[in-house]
Amino acid sequence: MPRITLRQLLDHAAEKSYGVPAFNINNMEQALAIMFAANDCDAPVILQASRGARNYATDIMLRHMIDAVTEIYPNIPVCVHLDHGNEPETCRTAIEAGFTSVMMDGSLLADGKTPADWAYNVAVTRSVTDAAHARGVSVEGELGVLGSLETGMGDQEDGHGAEGQLSHDQLLTDPDEALKFVEATKVDALAVAMGTSHGAYKFSRKPDGSVLAMNVIEAIHHKLPNTHLVMHGSSTVPEELQDIINRFGGEMKPTWGVPVDEIQRGIKSGVRKVNIDTDCRLAMTGQVRRVLMSDPAEFDPRKYLKPAMDALTRLCKQRFEEFGTSGNASRIRPLPLAEMAKRYATGSLDPVHVAGCVSGE
Ligand code: G3H
Ligand code: 13P
Ligand code: ZN
């Protein structure tokens, strides 16, 4: 099956009221494990690669790897998405490399650390949508800065994310500004800030509305009922995955992620793309630790990578079921990029005024 664009996939998800997990990939084991789960669940999927993943694996390897998994699982629509593009040039090279969707994260400057102002964010994001839509490729933008409502800190991890203290205004996307931003940039999907952050250490206790502001999502959805919303930092950080890591020599401090029922609440209010990387890392690392600690004489990578892949597959299947993604792959037929480009050119994909216009059925 050809690759699908984010826009078409999320239009379908909106029509049928489900959410789509966007899993980060860096290597063959992750790609295979996620696709095995998608195939088992008949779920469309978003495979996303960060700048770090592109540096780690190279665009050529990623392209061939994704071609390979779509050949192995020909019935699964796969959206190939750039996660946190830091500048238009990064998005341009991703489009050249065959990505069907790019994120232009103009909430931060190109250094990936400094919060950007409104004019900068609108200008870089609009330049990417103009270029991407001309080729049928979708665009995700971000308004608001990801970070903790508990500490007020940005979510700097692995060299990406805002540094230092942020104001409450920066940490919560304003619904009126969201409407203006989507009108001005024409993004197909909007990532919003409401208390989630990347990595394992999101909350120091089970989050309530004071630190995970799902009401902000609801207010934005009220203003922008036809725009697909994206939740970043949406790993649940399950206790059982933390326990496996710690039981086998790891040193994770107690922590909480985003509860699945809060994501489900988001899906009822326009959240269509749910970004998950940390949970995948935890699932795999727990099994690698278990095998190597339990059998220190083992040195065949397949002996620890296979259980790691199985753990990732189990996690993905759970999320496909929980988000209602399961059962939808066979209901979608991907439209060619040229057809998407034509629809953008005629204005029939206006993100503010048009609802679910690319049905797969
Ligand atoms: O945005 C954060 C994702 O977890 C990707 O992480 O930049 O370390 O690949 P990464
Ligand atoms: P997590 O760190 O919560 O998995 O978030 C990943 C993400 O948002 C990637 O863009
Ligand atoms: Zn993110």
Side-chain angles (χ1 to χ4, degrees):
M1 182 175 286
R3 297 173 185 199
I4 192 168
T5 60
L6 185 71
R7 179 58 193 269
Q8 187 191 355
L9 177 51
L10 299 192
D11 277 358
H12 189 265
E15 278 178 24
K16 308 289 178 204
S17 306
Y18 64 92
V20 187
F23 296 117
N24 286 74
I25 60 160
N26 298 267
N27 59 38
M28 179 192 81
E29 282 75 16
Q30 292 169 317
L32 279 174
I34 296 164
M35 288 300 291
F36 187 83
N39 194 57
D40 238 36
C41 296
D42 185 34
V45 68
I46 301 163
L47 298 180
Q48 58 183 9
S50 66
R51 280 193 294 150
R54 292 173 71 191
N55 286 334
Y56 176 81
T58 76
D59 280 353
I60 295 174
M61 190 60 84
L62 287 171
R63 177 158 51 82
H64 287 285
M65 209 162 70
I66 292 165
D67 281 347
V69 291
T70 50
E71 191 177 330
I72 298 169
Y73 298 108
N75 299 322
I76 301 303
V78 176
C79 170
V80 184
H81 176 80
L82 170 68
D83 190 24
H84 293 285
N86 65 321
E87 56 187 341
E89 177 61 9
T90 313
C91 299
R92 190 191 65 75
T93 56
I95 294 169
E96 290 302 324
F99 287 60
T100 52
S101 175
V102 293
M103 177 183 190
M104 176 62 240
D105 182 357
S107 71
L108 301 173
L109 296 182
D111 66 5
K113 295 180 169 82
T114 313
D117 63 24
W118 168 270
Y120 172 89
N121 193 355
V122 169
V124 288
T125 307
R126 180 62 194 247
S127 78
V128 171
T129 48
D130 284 347
H133 287 175
R135 300 182 60 172
V137 170
S138 317
V139 179
E140 173 186 339
E142 177 166 324
L143 184 66
V145 184
L146 295 189
S148 164
L149 289 169
E150 251 183 302
T151 63
M153 297 296 284
D155 82 339
Q156 173 64 232
E157 194 179 272
D158 291 346
H160 179 92
E163 274 177 340
Q165 200 77 26
L166 298 164
S167 72
H168 219 248
D169 280 358
Q170 287 173 301
L171 288 166
L172 293 173
T173 305
D174 177 81
D176 291 311
E177 287 190 357
L179 171 58
K180 284 190 215 137
F181 185 79
V182 175
E183 275 172 345
T185 61
K186 306 275 182 229
V187 288
D188 301 285
L190 179 69
V192 296
M194 66 330 163
T196 63
S197 56
H198 294 122
Y201 299 99
K202 302 181 194 300
F203 306 107
S204 65
R205 57 188 159 83
K206 189 172 187 295
D208 59 21
S210 67
V211 291
L212 179 59
M214 296 306 294
N215 60 320
V216 167
I217 298 251
E218 288 160 355
I220 296 170
H221 182 55
H222 189 69
K223 294 267 172 194
L224 278 166
N226 300 321
T227 301
H228 307 309
L229 303 181
V230 182
M231 278 176 69
H232 280 249
S234 291
S235 278
T236 298
V237 197
E239 202 178 346
E240 60 270 22
L241 294 184
Q242 298 178 46
D243 286 348
I244 295 174
I245 289 180
N246 285 337
R247 206 175 324 136
F248 295 102
E251 292 189 359
M252 286 195 69
K253 299 179 293 258
T255 178
W256 275 262
V258 183
V260 166
D261 56 355
E262 297 289 355
I263 298 171
Q264 288 168 330
R265 180 176 162 192
I267 291 170
K268 289 198 182 93
S269 288
V271 171
R272 299 290 158 229
K273 175 172 181 277
V274 184
N275 282 17
I276 298 174
D277 187 3
T278 297
D279 282 354
C280 305
R281 296 177 178 191
L282 296 175
M284 294 189 90
T285 299
Q287 292 307 308
V288 173
R289 283 199 163 278
R290 184 183 61 75
V291 173
L292 294 180
M293 289 283 287
S294 312
D295 186 359
E298 185 56 68
F299 56 82
D300 179 347
R302 292 170 299 185
K303 294 286 173 19
Y304 50 83
L305 289 175
K306 184 64 174 72
M309 290 168 71
D310 292 344
L312 177 52
T313 295
R314 281 194 296 278
L315 172 86
C316 296
K317 279 190 184 178
Q318 217 177 325
R319 296 294 178 265
F320 286 132
E321 294 295 327
E322 290 161 342
F323 300 168
T325 335
S326 295
N328 282 295
S330 49
R331 303 161 92 184
I332 308 174
R333 283 183 309 282
L335 290 166
L337 288 179
E339 173 59 27
M340 292 300 292
K342 213 161 70 190
R343 294 187 187 200
Y344 284 118
T346 61
S348 68
L349 292 177
D350 184 303
V352 175
H353 303 109
V354 179
C357 56
V358 194
S359 175
E361 293 169 309

